[in-house]
Amino acid sequence: MSTDSNDSTAIDTHSRGPLLLLLGSGVLWLVVSGVLALITSIQLHTPTFFADCAWLTFGRAQALRETAFVYGWLANAGLALGLWIAVRLGGEAMRAGNWVVVGAVFWNLGVSLSLVGIAAGDAAGHPFFQIPSYAQPLLLVAYGAIAVAGVLAWAGRRHETGFASQWYVFAALFLFPWLFSVAQVTLVWLPVRGVLQAIVAGWFAQGIYSLWLAPLALACAYYLLPKISGRVLPAYSFAVFGFWTLIVMGCWTGGRHLIGGPVPAWIASVAIAACSLMVFHYLVVFLNFRSAIGAKSSALYFTSFGLLAYLLSGLVEAVISLRGVALHAQFTFVEQAVQQLSLYGAVSMVFFGALYFAVPRLVGKNWASSSLVGGHASLVTVGVVLLVVALTAAGVAQSHMMFGATQPAKFAEVASATRPWLLVATAAQVALLLGNLMLLVNFAQTVAALVPFRAAANSVSRPALKSVLS
Amino acid sequence: MKNGPLFFLGLFASLTFSFAGVVLFSNYQLGGLTPYYDDSEGKSFPERLPGVAARGQMVYRDLGCVACHTQQVRRPSFGNDQAQGWGERQSVARDYIHQSYPQLGAARIGQDLTNLAGRKPSALDAEDLMKLLYLGQGAMPAYTFLFQDVKVSGQVPKTALKLTGKSAPLPGHAVVPTERAQVLVAYLLSLNTAYDYPESRPVVKTAAKAEGAHK
Amino acid sequence: MSTPPSPQGDRRFDSAANGDAELLESHAKAASKQTDEKGNYSLLPLGLIFGSSALIFWAAVYVTKFSGRYDPKMFDETAPPSTGVEVVAKVDPIVAGKKLYLSACVACHLPDGNGIAGVNPPLAGAEWVLGSEERLARIVIHGLKGPITVKGSQYNGAMPVFGKVAGSGYNWSDDKIAAVLTYIRQEWGNKGAAVSTELVTAIRTKEGGRKEWSPEELLQIP
């Protein structure tokens, strides 16, 4: 099998600093959010866990976990991988790498500040938008700095005709600041009135997934599968329709969380219709990838798993948005299960795949440990599957007791009915955390080779390392 | 992507499309909602929260209670929220116009709180709520950091919780709610949306309408 | 610096099958509208077209059916088309009437409806209350002045003006007057018929604004 051309290698080497910084921060945040996820998972079945600590009370811990996961891990990894694909496909070395470094540093400072603020009680209180008001402008400006490299990658691209990955990357890079700034204005600086906040928050949360994270994941998938398999994507000629369906229809589906709520009925009805129209997008994705699913390599394995989860999540959303089903699934753990399926099962797994593909090329040497890669793959697979299944089962039990009964349900009974499943979910979180720790260790060991002073200090004990760098 | 500007224009137009449809149009419809003035009661609904309760709402928000509790009731024909005793009618947009940060909620790990203070047959009172917050119940954790254990010499403070058994404080001590607990309980006791707006129970217009009948 | 190809089963490196330029080229060719060897264009699969059309059709039908006419006051998507929100659900007149009585009338006629001897007549068991509605409504709408005999005793108070007429301090709507009259006719053991809003409106329209009635004038009305 041939390796990448020398052009790509030069591009990778040139952009390694900013991208490895972003990826490293992302993996660190992944572990942090894993710890927080474990805490909240335990608190669900054992409420006394950290109950006396105001900083980690369940409501705040949930917000912490979500922020660390989305704005810590997914944002850093997504931006790194997106920029990497953009510069590689653009055929030019990354420009404004320093801007990316500065942006990354301030983005991570912003996320850290957000976490401290949330723990202190300043969370903004909306799904996927818990960032305190004082950290929001910082994140927006930091994002702008990182995105400069993306803009320049676009402007300086060598080939006029674009590839699907490029559409998705540039769409994600372009749309995020609009989404984020609109949400800031309408929810924090000049808050809209009453239930409109819930409507805007739903629109924003859906936009974060459909217009930012999912496009970044799809960009990675569209790049990796033909690259590793060597075959042209079978349905590529209509990939463009799938792209525009996602972009146009994606944000409308947010209203499905407001079914039966204190909003006019048309918001939910339009959202349900949009969820069904989105099936077309998932169909196009399926047609493009059905032949390339496989496990030849870790990147391909993770990407295939992620794509399967993505397709499943799309189908589940279309079904769960129907009012008859939403009646039972609303407000239960089923919604959390669907969210974990989308964010962890789909987007994160594709990011893992792209990470495993990109890092050796950026660093210039293979991953430090093959067994850690395998361990991460197994643990994360088991973790995600267990988590989604356990949360779904807990949600079904909840729904059966609360919505099936004609007399008031005693919440103590509901709690004991869901307890076994929540214990399984905690076990899944342990597996995920262990797997991600393996990734962190592996990543650190792989990147350690780049640190010059360490190489010099170990020059006696690690001759092989020295020869690689000389 | 040969035509770069058109591509980005298309992206922007798509986002504007959903923004205009979901956000702007809703704002046009609901942004100007006014309170409903009732002739016979002589006041407008929804009523504003008293100051203490408004501060309690901020405590509710910063503790993240919305992670487990919803504050929206679904209509009786959609789910059994009414059978659960959470409300006689569905929540409508007008219920939230005086709230700075409505906490609608998306998960019912705990019960819905829209009508906590207005439930029949018996709503909880301040003492019950204080005990609930201090001791926790079922899946709800014990919020001991909202309370203080103070040494008492002589008369026990008026606000001290009446605790017995294992949770009782040591002799010479009393468990007193902090100000945050007091305003939070005041807020919880103000949660009452019993007023029936016209839009919460729309009437079907038929030729001969029977008097006094509604769904 | 090139990276060595990975041996089978080693997960430390994923090899790529082609370079980026190749990738772009091959896919640009796949997406371009070129004819194949036979000179035919490739067509979109029929299944895709039918599938997407079916989805669009279903979505359109759904939105049309459950849109609630995009009315901001329609929270129930299953409400039939004739549903309106302009009509307020009817309030029980006894409940409304009791509230009104307790807000204004109770000061003189007392909660038990027995009034104050010599000044304010009783309402419980009173022939004026259970008798002609025409007289009763006029008392409340326009007020009453002059000695009046109720249940054998004489009372000399002054009944204020309650209706929506000139000089009224209360300006109660016809609905309210009908409600409170219905209440007093059915409380404290009274078994009278309800008074309708239409009757009150008719009386008020007929009489217009005038000074308080005297009992003699009222007795002339059937």
Side-chain angles (χ1 to χ4, degrees):
Chain A
M1 287 241 208
S2 68
T3 57
D4 305 4
S5 66
N6 278 333
D7 282 350
S8 294
T9 316
I11 292 172
D12 290 339
T13 318
H14 181 261
S15 57
R16 66 161 56 127
L19 293 183
L20 285 175
L21 175 65
L22 279 171
L23 285 172
S25 321
V27 176
L28 263 173
W29 282 120
L30 179 64
V31 171
V32 167
S33 74
V35 171
L36 290 165
L38 186 60
I39 292 175
T40 54
S41 193
I42 295 176
Q43 286 177 328
L44 276 174
H45 55 75
T46 311
T48 49
F49 192 63
F50 278 116
D52 46 0
C53 174
W55 291 64
L56 286 173
T57 185
F58 181 71
R60 292 184 189 172
Q62 276 280 48
L64 287 170
R65 172 195 65 82
E66 189 186 79
T67 307
F69 189 73
V70 174
Y71 293 96
W73 151 242
L74 289 177
N76 275 301
L79 286 171
L81 296 167
L83 283 176
W84 180 67
I85 290 174
V87 297
R88 267 192 157 219
L89 289 176
E92 289 280 342
M94 184 191 277
R95 293 189 275 167
N98 293 330
W99 285 70
V100 177
V101 170
V102 169
V105 166
F106 279 101
W107 176 273
N108 288 308
L109 273 176
V111 177
S112 313
L113 178 64
S114 303
L115 291 194
V116 171
I118 292 170
D122 294 333
H126 301 287
F128 293 119
F129 198 64
Q130 303 280 7
I131 304 164
S133 56
Y134 41 80
Q136 286 173 8
L138 176 60
L139 285 177
L140 191 59
V141 172
Y143 179 88
I146 299 174
V148 167
V151 171
L152 291 173
W154 161 268
R157 69 193 192 286
R158 270 198 205 156
H159 317 277
E160 265 301 318
T161 52
F163 178 60
S165 290
Q166 289 173 300
W167 312 329
Y168 280 108
V169 166
F170 292 119
L173 288 177
F174 177 75
L175 290 171
F176 177 78
W178 292 106
L179 276 170
F180 200 57
S181 49
V182 164
Q184 280 191 24
V185 169
T186 52
L187 292 175
V188 175
W189 306 121
L190 300 168
V192 285
R193 208 149 174 245
V195 289
L196 283 168
Q197 289 189 18
I199 296 172
V200 175
W203 174 83
F204 173 75
Q206 189 61 46
I208 283 289
Y209 176 68
S210 294
L211 298 184
W212 187 47
L213 295 174
L216 286 172
L218 286 169
C220 296
Y222 269 100
Y223 181 64
L224 286 179
L225 291 196
K227 198 142 170 79
I228 298 178
S229 67
R231 293 196 290 267
V232 173
L233 293 170
Y236 186 72
S237 45
F238 36 94
V240 65
F241 299 127
F243 171 73
W244 284 109
T245 308
L246 176 66
I247 299 295
V248 173
M249 287 280 105
C251 251
W252 287 92
T253 59
R256 76 172 182 84
H257 297 284
L258 294 166
I259 291 175
V263 293
W266 65 264
I267 294 179
S269 299
V270 170
I272 296 168
C275 277
S276 305
L277 286 174
M278 283 287 291
V279 169
F280 180 72
H281 161 76
Y282 292 105
L283 187 63
V284 171
V285 171
F286 169 69
L287 289 174
N288 265 311
F289 293 121
R290 65 191 191 289
S291 54
I293 303 276
K296 262 195 310 206
S297 65
S298 33
L300 200 61
Y301 168 75
F302 277 109
T303 312
S304 311
F305 185 97
L307 281 170
L308 280 171
Y310 183 66
L311 295 172
L312 183 65
S313 77
L315 195 62
V316 166
E317 283 219 19
V319 169
I320 233 178
S321 66
L322 299 170
R323 284 186 159 98
V325 182
L327 174 63
H328 299 285
Q330 250 186 346
F331 308 138
T332 64
F333 288 113
V334 173
E335 293 281 352
Q336 285 193 32
V338 173
Q339 199 189 82
Q340 294 288 41
L341 180 64
S342 312
L343 289 181
Y344 225 125
V347 179
S348 288
M349 293 296 256
V350 174
F351 282 175
F352 288 146
L355 196 105
Y356 278 114
F357 189 82
V359 167
R361 288 165 170 78
L362 288 170
V363 174
K365 69 184 272 282
N366 289 355
W367 281 96
S369 156
S370 178
S371 53
L372 280 179
V373 177
H376 177 229
S378 323
L379 281 172
V380 167
T381 308
V382 165
V384 166
V385 171
L386 260 185
L387 183 64
V388 172
V389 167
L391 286 175
T392 309
V396 168
Q398 234 187 342
S399 164
H400 182 72
M401 294 196 76
M402 285 213 294
F403 307 133
T406 42
Q407 68 226 32
K410 295 191 187 19
F411 276 82
E413 286 172 15
V414 178
S416 52
T418 52
R419 196 158 191 273
W421 295 110
L422 294 173
L423 286 167
V424 175
T426 303
Q429 294 286 5
V430 170
L432 287 169
L433 183 58
L434 284 177
N436 291 326
L437 276 169
M438 288 187 184
L439 173 63
L440 181 64
V441 167
N442 206 0
F443 186 89
Q445 286 180 343
T446 311
V447 173
L450 287 178
V451 181
F453 75 86
R454 200 161 161 232
N458 293 332
S459 59
V460 174
S461 54
R462 299 221 187 159
L465 194 62
K466 191 177 167 202
S467 68
V468 162
L469 282 176
S470 61
Chain B
M1 262 191 23
K2 284 192 264 281
N3 198 341
L6 191 62
F7 174 68
F8 287 103
L9 205 61
L11 290 175
F12 189 71
S14 308
L15 189 68
T16 313
F17 175 49
S18 67
F19 175 67
V22 177
V23 178
L24 289 182
F25 187 54
S26 308
N27 192 37
Y28 166 72
Q29 290 194 325
L30 302 172
L33 270 182
T34 49
Y36 181 77
Y37 180 72
D38 186 327
D39 254 339
S40 55
E41 305 256 4
K43 50 184 175 173
S44 45
F45 296 90
E47 297 177 289
R48 287 191 181 271
L49 290 179
V52 181
R55 281 165 52 208
Q57 193 177 38
M58 288 159 62
V59 175
Y60 182 97
R61 184 173 166 230
D62 93 34
L63 285 178
C65 306
V66 73
C68 291
H69 293 282
T70 56
Q71 280 188 19
Q72 45 170 315
V73 179
R74 301 184 296 188
R75 66 174 191 270
S77 56
F78 191 75
N80 65 346
D81 291 17
Q82 190 188 31
Q84 298 277 5
W86 293 335
E88 296 297 313
R89 62 156 176 89
Q90 72 169 103
S91 307
V92 294
R94 234 196 277 258
D95 286 321
Y96 303 90
I97 54 178
H98 288 320
Q99 297 185 21
S100 329
Y101 297 104
Q103 305 278 297
L104 256 52
R108 282 183 181 160
I109 300 169
Q111 54 183 279
D112 180 271
L113 298 178
T114 319
N115 269 314
L116 186 63
R119 288 199 193 148
K120 300 170 173 47
S122 62
L124 297 167
D125 66 2
E127 211 184 294
D128 296 328
L129 284 171
M130 287 288 186
K131 273 217 195 97
L132 182 65
L133 282 170
Y134 183 66
L135 299 172
Q137 188 186 76
M140 173 152 164
Y143 287 88
T144 50
F145 55 82
L146 287 176
F147 297 85
Q148 276 176 322
D149 193 305
V150 293
K151 272 215 194 76
V152 180
S153 56
Q155 203 179 23
V156 171
K158 246 195 317 192
T159 53
L161 300 185
K162 299 179 184 53
L163 299 164
T164 54
K166 272 193 301 182
S167 47
L170 296 167
H173 285 242
V175 174
V176 170
T178 57
E179 204 198 331
R180 275 161 68 82
Q182 290 178 318
V183 298
L184 179 62
V185 168
Y187 169 65
L188 293 173
L189 289 174
S190 74
L191 288 171
N192 193 336
T193 57
Y195 185 75
D196 236 349
Y197 299 102
E199 64 262 24
S200 63
R201 288 212 222 229
V203 179
V204 177
K205 285 192 279 211
T206 50
K209 183 75 196 66
E211 177 150 339
H214 55 264
K215 290 208 190 72
Chain C
M1 167 171 51
S2 62
T3 42
S6 59
Q8 202 71 12
D10 183 357
R11 305 181 85 138
R12 290 183 298 163
F13 182 77
D14 301 283
S15 38
N18 52 15
D20 293 323
E22 259 180 71
L23 183 83
L24 288 172
E25 246 182 72
S26 55
H27 284 91
K29 202 155 145 243
S32 68
K33 296 178 177 62
Q34 304 277 355
T35 56
D36 62 15
E37 322 67 71
K38 295 206 201 93
N40 298 325
Y41 286 103
S42 63
L43 299 170
L44 271 184
L46 266 182
L48 207 66
I49 298 179
F50 278 128
S52 59
S53 308
L55 279 173
I56 295 174
F57 178 72
W58 186 87
V61 167
Y62 188 89
V63 169
T64 317
K65 187 161 183 236
F66 292 119
S67 63
R69 293 171 314 197
Y70 299 98
D71 190 334
K73 295 204 166 71
M74 291 305 295
F75 296 92
D76 179 357
E77 74 282 352
T78 59
S82 58
T83 308
V85 291
E86 300 83 7
V87 180
V88 181
K90 289 242 181 248
V91 175
D92 183 4
I94 303 280
V95 171
K98 182 170 184 175
K99 266 199 212 155
L100 289 163
Y101 184 88
L102 291 172
S103 73
C105 322
V106 70
C108 295
H109 292 287
L110 301 193
D112 55 10
N114 285 332
I116 299 172
V119 188
N120 304 314
L123 303 174
E127 65 276 22
W128 286 89
V129 173
L130 295 166
S132 160
E133 296 143 358
E134 301 273 330
R135 293 179 189 163
L136 182 62
R138 282 172 167 82
I139 293 176
V140 177
I141 295 171
H142 296 110
L144 183 74
K145 208 169 181 178
I148 184 171
T149 308
V150 183
K151 281 166 78 171
S153 309
Q154 208 184 53
Y155 298 86
N156 204 355
M159 169 85 173
V161 186
F162 278 91
K164 259 197 168 118
V165 294
S168 170
Y170 283 91
N171 267 310
W172 278 4
S173 64
D174 301 329
D175 269 329
K176 285 185 176 170
I177 293 185
V180 77
L181 290 178
T182 306
Y183 170 70
I184 63 175
R185 285 180 130 213
Q186 298 182 353
E187 185 76 356
W188 314 295
N190 286 353
K191 287 188 182 29
V195 175
S196 67
T197 313
E198 290 79 26
L199 177 70
V200 176
T201 314
I203 293 174
R204 186 170 60 81
T205 321
K206 184 164 158 220
E207 300 288 348
R210 50 153 290 142
K211 66 177 180 67
E212 295 96 341
W213 295 93
S214 69
E216 295 77 30
E217 286 174 311
L218 279 177
L219 283 169
Q220 285 168 9
I221 295 166

